[in-house]
Amino acid sequence: GAVVSQHPSWVICKSGTSVKIECRSLDFQATTMFWYRQFPKQSLMLMATSNEGSKATYEQGVEKDKFLINHASLTLSTLTVTSAHPEDSSFYICSAFTAISYEQYFGPGTRLTVT
Amino acid sequence: GQQVMQIPQYQHVQEGEDFTTYCNSSTTLSNIQWYKQRPGGHPVFLIQLVKSGEVKKQKRLTFQFGEAKKNSSLHITATQTTDVGTYFCAGRKFQGAQKLVFGQGTRLTINP
Protein backbone atom coordinates (compact mmCIF):
# COMPACT_ATOMS: atom_id res chain seq x y z
CA GLY A 1 0.00 0.00 0.00
CA ALA A 2 0.85 3.73 0.09
CA VAL A 3 2.13 3.99 -3.45
CA VAL A 4 2.79 7.37 -5.03
CA SER A 5 3.48 7.69 -8.74
CA GLN A 6 4.99 10.55 -10.70
CA HIS A 7 4.82 11.18 -14.39
CA PRO A 8 6.96 11.64 -16.34
CA SER A 9 9.99 10.06 -14.69
CA TRP A 10 12.27 12.20 -16.80
CA VAL A 11 11.80 15.00 -19.30
CA ILE A 12 14.01 17.11 -21.50
CA CYS A 13 12.60 20.40 -22.71
CA LYS A 14 13.80 23.52 -24.44
CA SER A 15 14.32 26.77 -22.65
CA GLY A 16 11.15 28.86 -22.59
CA THR A 17 8.71 25.96 -22.72
CA SER A 18 6.50 24.71 -19.90
CA VAL A 19 6.53 21.27 -18.35
CA LYS A 20 3.81 19.61 -16.29
CA ILE A 21 4.60 16.94 -13.71
CA GLU A 22 1.86 14.77 -12.22
CA CYS A 23 1.86 13.24 -8.77
CA ARG A 24 -0.73 10.61 -7.89
CA SER A 25 -1.46 8.67 -4.74
CA LEU A 26 -2.55 5.31 -6.12
CA ASP A 27 -4.13 3.55 -3.18
CA PHE A 28 -4.95 6.23 -0.66
CA GLN A 29 -6.34 9.71 -0.45
CA ALA A 30 -3.82 12.41 0.26
CA THR A 31 -5.09 15.42 2.13
CA THR A 32 -1.85 17.19 1.43
CA MET A 33 0.86 16.84 -1.17
CA PHE A 34 4.31 18.33 -0.95
CA TRP A 35 6.61 19.29 -3.80
CA TYR A 36 10.37 19.16 -3.30
CA ARG A 37 13.32 20.02 -5.49
CA GLN A 38 16.67 18.31 -5.16
CA PHE A 39 19.83 19.50 -6.87
CA PRO A 40 22.70 17.02 -7.36
CA LYS A 41 24.33 15.95 -4.11
CA GLN A 42 22.04 18.18 -2.07
CA SER A 43 19.14 17.67 0.27
CA LEU A 44 15.45 17.94 -0.50
CA MET A 45 14.20 21.51 -0.48
CA LEU A 46 10.50 21.97 0.08
CA MET A 47 8.98 24.15 -2.62
CA ALA A 48 5.31 24.18 -1.73
CA THR A 49 2.53 22.52 0.18
CA SER A 50 -0.60 21.69 -1.72
CA ASN A 51 -4.02 20.99 -0.23
CA GLU A 52 -6.89 19.66 -2.28
CA GLY A 53 -9.21 22.38 -3.45
CA SER A 54 -7.18 25.31 -2.15
CA LYS A 55 -4.22 27.40 -3.22
CA ALA A 56 -0.78 26.02 -2.59
CA THR A 57 1.45 27.49 0.08
CA TYR A 58 4.87 28.32 -1.29
CA GLU A 59 8.11 28.38 0.64
CA GLN A 60 10.09 31.58 0.82
CA GLY A 61 12.03 32.20 -2.37
CA VAL A 62 9.88 29.98 -4.58
CA GLU A 63 8.10 31.89 -7.35
CA LYS A 64 4.45 30.91 -7.38
CA ASP A 65 3.94 32.23 -10.90
CA LYS A 66 6.77 30.12 -12.21
CA PHE A 67 5.90 26.90 -10.38
CA LEU A 68 2.16 26.47 -10.75
CA ILE A 69 0.60 23.87 -8.50
CA ASN A 70 -2.86 22.45 -8.91
CA HIS A 71 -4.36 19.96 -6.49
CA ALA A 72 -7.51 18.93 -8.30
CA SER A 73 -8.43 15.90 -6.24
CA LEU A 74 -7.38 13.90 -3.21
CA THR A 75 -5.24 11.70 -5.43
CA LEU A 76 -3.72 14.10 -7.93
CA SER A 77 -1.49 17.14 -7.75
CA THR A 78 0.36 18.73 -10.64
CA LEU A 79 3.39 20.99 -10.80
CA THR A 80 3.90 23.06 -13.93
CA VAL A 81 7.27 24.66 -14.48
CA THR A 82 6.51 27.63 -16.71
CA SER A 83 8.99 29.23 -19.08
CA ALA A 84 11.66 26.79 -17.99
CA HIS A 85 15.29 27.85 -17.89
CA PRO A 86 18.42 25.69 -17.61
CA GLU A 87 18.73 26.62 -13.93
CA ASP A 88 15.37 24.90 -13.36
CA SER A 89 17.00 21.59 -14.27
CA SER A 90 16.64 19.45 -11.17
CA PHE A 91 15.07 16.39 -9.62
CA TYR A 92 11.48 17.18 -8.60
CA ILE A 93 9.93 14.90 -6.02
CA CYS A 94 6.42 14.91 -4.67
CA SER A 95 5.15 13.33 -1.50
CA ALA A 96 1.63 12.56 -0.45
CA PHE A 97 0.54 12.90 3.14
CA THR A 98 -2.16 10.79 4.70
CA ALA A 99 -3.74 11.67 8.02
CA ILE A 100 -4.50 7.98 8.61
CA SER A 101 -0.89 7.02 9.30
CA TYR A 102 0.41 10.58 9.53
CA GLU A 103 3.11 9.75 7.05
CA GLN A 104 4.49 11.23 3.86
CA TYR A 105 5.04 8.81 1.01
CA PHE A 106 7.41 9.90 -1.70
CA GLY A 107 7.01 9.53 -5.42
CA PRO A 108 9.87 8.23 -7.57
CA GLY A 109 10.77 11.73 -8.75
CA THR A 110 10.96 13.49 -12.10
CA ARG A 111 14.28 14.47 -13.53
CA LEU A 112 13.93 17.68 -15.54
CA THR A 113 16.61 18.84 -17.94
CA VAL A 114 16.16 22.18 -19.65
CA THR A 115 18.37 22.76 -22.67
CA GLY B 1 13.50 29.25 11.10
CA GLN B 2 13.93 25.70 12.14
CA GLN B 3 17.13 24.07 11.00
CA VAL B 4 18.16 20.46 10.99
CA MET B 5 21.88 19.86 10.70
CA GLN B 6 23.32 16.52 9.76
CA ILE B 7 26.92 15.32 9.98
CA PRO B 8 29.08 14.11 8.45
CA GLN B 9 28.26 15.17 4.92
CA TYR B 10 30.21 12.24 3.48
CA GLN B 11 31.49 8.98 4.92
CA HIS B 12 33.54 6.34 3.19
CA VAL B 13 34.09 3.03 4.95
CA GLN B 14 35.44 -0.42 4.27
CA GLU B 15 32.79 -3.08 4.00
CA GLY B 16 32.26 -4.54 7.43
CA GLU B 17 33.03 -1.32 9.30
CA ASP B 18 30.40 0.52 11.28
CA PHE B 19 28.82 3.82 10.24
CA THR B 20 27.05 6.56 12.18
CA THR B 21 25.29 9.74 11.08
CA TYR B 22 24.11 12.42 13.47
CA CYS B 23 21.23 14.84 13.24
CA ASN B 24 20.78 17.98 15.34
CA SER B 25 17.84 20.36 15.38
CA SER B 26 17.89 23.98 16.48
CA THR B 27 14.51 23.44 18.12
CA THR B 28 12.75 20.61 19.92
CA LEU B 29 11.11 18.19 17.53
CA SER B 30 7.80 16.42 17.83
CA ASN B 31 9.20 13.46 15.96
CA ILE B 32 12.01 12.59 13.60
CA GLN B 33 12.12 10.35 10.58
CA TRP B 34 14.95 8.72 8.72
CA TYR B 35 15.09 8.11 4.99
CA LYS B 36 17.50 6.36 2.65
CA GLN B 37 18.03 7.50 -0.92
CA ARG B 38 19.95 5.27 -3.28
CA PRO B 39 21.89 6.94 -6.11
CA GLY B 40 19.40 7.97 -8.77
CA GLY B 41 16.45 7.01 -6.57
CA HIS B 42 13.96 8.73 -4.31
CA PRO B 43 13.86 8.85 -0.50
CA VAL B 44 12.56 5.70 1.10
CA PHE B 45 11.13 5.87 4.60
CA LEU B 46 13.09 3.87 7.16
CA ILE B 47 11.66 4.71 10.57
CA GLN B 48 10.00 7.30 12.77
CA LEU B 49 11.01 8.12 16.34
CA VAL B 50 8.57 9.90 18.61
CA LYS B 51 9.47 9.43 22.25
CA SER B 52 12.27 11.08 24.17
CA GLY B 53 15.22 8.69 24.45
CA GLU B 54 13.65 6.20 22.07
CA VAL B 55 15.83 3.52 20.51
CA LYS B 56 14.67 1.37 17.63
CA LYS B 57 16.47 -1.35 15.74
CA GLN B 58 16.05 -2.73 12.26
CA LYS B 59 18.48 -5.61 11.78
CA ARG B 60 21.88 -3.90 11.56
CA LEU B 61 20.43 -0.37 11.86
CA THR B 62 19.98 1.32 15.25
CA PHE B 63 18.10 4.60 15.54
CA GLN B 64 18.16 6.86 18.59
CA PHE B 65 16.18 9.95 19.55
CA GLY B 66 17.79 12.17 22.17
CA GLU B 67 16.34 12.85 25.58
CA ALA B 68 15.75 16.49 24.68
CA LYS B 69 14.21 15.50 21.32
CA LYS B 70 16.64 17.75 19.50
CA ASN B 71 19.08 15.19 18.18
CA SER B 72 19.07 11.76 16.65
CA SER B 73 21.47 9.23 15.25
CA LEU B 74 21.52 6.30 12.87
CA HIS B 75 24.13 3.62 13.39
CA ILE B 76 24.81 0.80 10.95
CA THR B 77 26.76 -2.18 12.21
CA ALA B 78 29.02 -4.11 9.84
CA THR B 79 28.16 -2.22 6.68
CA GLN B 80 27.40 -4.06 3.46
CA THR B 81 27.58 -2.76 -0.10
CA THR B 82 23.79 -2.62 -0.17
CA ASP B 83 23.95 0.11 2.49
CA VAL B 84 25.36 2.58 -0.04
CA GLY B 85 23.25 5.70 -0.39
CA THR B 86 22.42 8.99 1.26
CA TYR B 87 20.73 8.93 4.65
CA PHE B 88 18.48 11.85 5.56
CA CYS B 89 16.88 12.74 8.82
CA ALA B 90 13.73 14.84 8.75
CA GLY B 91 11.97 16.42 11.67
CA ARG B 92 8.54 17.72 12.51
CA LYS B 93 8.49 20.79 14.70
CA PHE B 94 5.29 20.12 16.58
CA GLN B 95 2.64 17.46 16.94
CA GLY B 96 0.15 17.79 14.16
CA ALA B 97 2.61 19.41 11.77
CA GLN B 98 2.65 17.87 8.34
CA LYS B 99 5.74 19.59 7.00
CA LEU B 100 9.10 17.85 7.32
CA VAL B 101 12.39 19.71 7.58
CA PHE B 102 15.18 17.67 6.07
CA GLY B 103 18.79 17.52 7.13
CA GLN B 104 21.48 17.84 4.50
CA GLY B 105 22.02 14.10 4.36
CA THR B 106 25.05 11.88 4.82
CA ARG B 107 26.33 10.12 1.75
CA LEU B 108 27.74 6.70 2.54
CA THR B 109 30.09 4.97 0.16
CA ILE B 110 31.61 1.57 0.81
CA ASN B 111 34.79 -0.08 -0.34
CA PRO B 112 34.05 -3.77 -0.96
Side-chain angles (χ1 to χ4, degrees), chain A residues 1-4 25 27-32 96-106, chain B residues 31 33 35 45 47-50 56 92 95-98 100:
Chain A
V3 177
V4 177
S25 55
D27 52 0
F28 66 98
Q29 292 185 329
T31 52
T32 304
F97 175 86
T98 168
I100 296 175
S101 62
Y102 226 80
E103 292 301 336
Q104 284 191 34
Y105 298 95
F106 284 85
Chain B
N31 59 64
Q33 302 186 346
Y35 293 82
F45 174 80
I47 209 159
Q48 176 174 266
L49 304 171
V50 179
K56 286 188 177 180
R92 284 203 174 99
Q95 191 173 4
Q98 297 179 14
L100 286 169

Side-chain angles (χ1 to χ4, degrees), chain A residues 37-44 90-91 111, chain B residues 9-10 37 39-40 86 88 103-107 109:
Chain A
R37 180 167 51 182
Q38 186 179 36
F39 292 107
K41 302 180 182 180
Q42 293 188 24
S43 186
L44 284 75
S90 187
F91 192 45
R111 197 163 300 280
Chain B
Q9 190 174 1
Y10 303 97
Q37 185 175 24
T86 301
F88 292 99
Q104 298 94 322
T106 296
R107 184 186 298 175
T109 54

